[in-house]
Amino acid sequence: MESNPFAVLSLIVAPAILTNASSVLIMSTSNRLARGVDRSRELSKQLEETQNFDAPEPQRRLRELAATGDRALLILQALRSFYVALGAFASAAFVSLLGAVLAPAAIEHVVLLLEIAGVTAGLVAVSALVNGSILLLRETRIAVQVINERAATVRERVAAGKAVSDEVRHV
């Protein structure tokens, strides 16, 4: 008895799970993009109210605004990748289901083409998922750098305030 290469995929379990995972990634990435847009608006508003751009705080805000723009572009690229993954996983599921239906008809050349198309769609989907994840890692690295810069600024202010406070006590 000849084995049916579409038997397991015809259950649609793996593509369905991967399609669901892609959808969840799309939703969470869209949320990240929305938060980034909100932060960009807030920074822009603060900068519009600024009179002296030579001061350290507006300079930090300008750097953070630039980082927010870079992050938004990475998130947008990740979203594109996740949408490609979602479409490719759905295509793989459909092609696999079609192959499972046609396999008993013994149309070997059509079944072989569907096998190749299903595997290709699956590879495209996995590649897009990995690419989107890498892009999100890069975006996260930028976010952590911004947080570290802000924390350093706060530590410097606290240290400067403490030094002034100590000087006042000694007078």
Side-chain angles (χ1 to χ4, degrees), residues 6-7 10 20 33 42 49 53 78 84 91 96 106 126 128 136 139 147 161-162 167-168:
F6 295 104
S10 68
N20 186 44
L33 181 61
E42 178 63 28
E49 296 168 356
F53 284 92
V84 167
S91 296
S96 298
V126 169
L136 285 183
E139 182 270 336
I147 290 169
K162 185 177 178 185
E167 284 180 28
V168 170

Side-chain angles (χ1 to χ4, degrees), residues 38-58:
D38 290 344
R39 181 64 183 148
S40 179
R41 285 183 183 144
E42 178 63 28
L43 287 166
S44 295
K45 181 181 172 186
Q46 291 171 356
L47 286 166
E48 287 171 359
E49 296 168 356
T50 300
Q51 300 298 322
N52 179 12
F53 284 92
D54 294 329
E57 190 62 23

Side-chain angles (χ1 to χ4, degrees), residues 72-110:
L73 289 175
L74 287 170
I75 292 169
L76 188 58
Q77 290 172 349
L79 270 172
R80 286 182 189 136
S81 286
F82 293 146
Y83 280 121
V84 167
L86 181 62
F89 280 130
S91 296
F94 176 72
V95 168
S96 298
L97 184 60
L98 191 58
V101 169
L102 293 178
I107 311 171
E108 292 179 23
H109 61 284
V110 173

Side-chain angles (χ1 to χ4, degrees), residues 18-34 75 78-87 89 129 136:
L18 293 170
T19 299
N20 186 44
S22 297
S23 297
V24 170
L25 277 169
I26 288 169
M27 288 189 322
S28 66
T29 305
S30 296
N31 186 33
R32 285 170 90 153
L33 181 61
I75 292 169
L79 270 172
R80 286 182 189 136
S81 286
F82 293 146
Y83 280 121
V84 167
L86 181 62
F89 280 130
L129 206 58
L136 285 183

Side-chain angles (χ1 to χ4, degrees), residues 50-74:
T50 300
Q51 300 298 322
N52 179 12
F53 284 92
D54 294 329
E57 190 62 23
Q59 289 299 313
R60 182 196 59 77
R61 286 186 180 138
L62 284 169
R63 287 190 304 274
E64 190 173 337
L65 184 60
T68 301
D70 293 342
R71 290 177 59 201
L73 289 175
L74 287 170

Side-chain angles (χ1 to χ4, degrees), residues 32 74 131-142:
R32 285 170 90 153
L74 287 170
N131 182 60
S133 298
I134 290 169
L135 290 167
L136 285 183
L137 285 172
R138 289 175 51 199
E139 182 270 336
T140 300
R141 185 174 355 139
I142 294 171

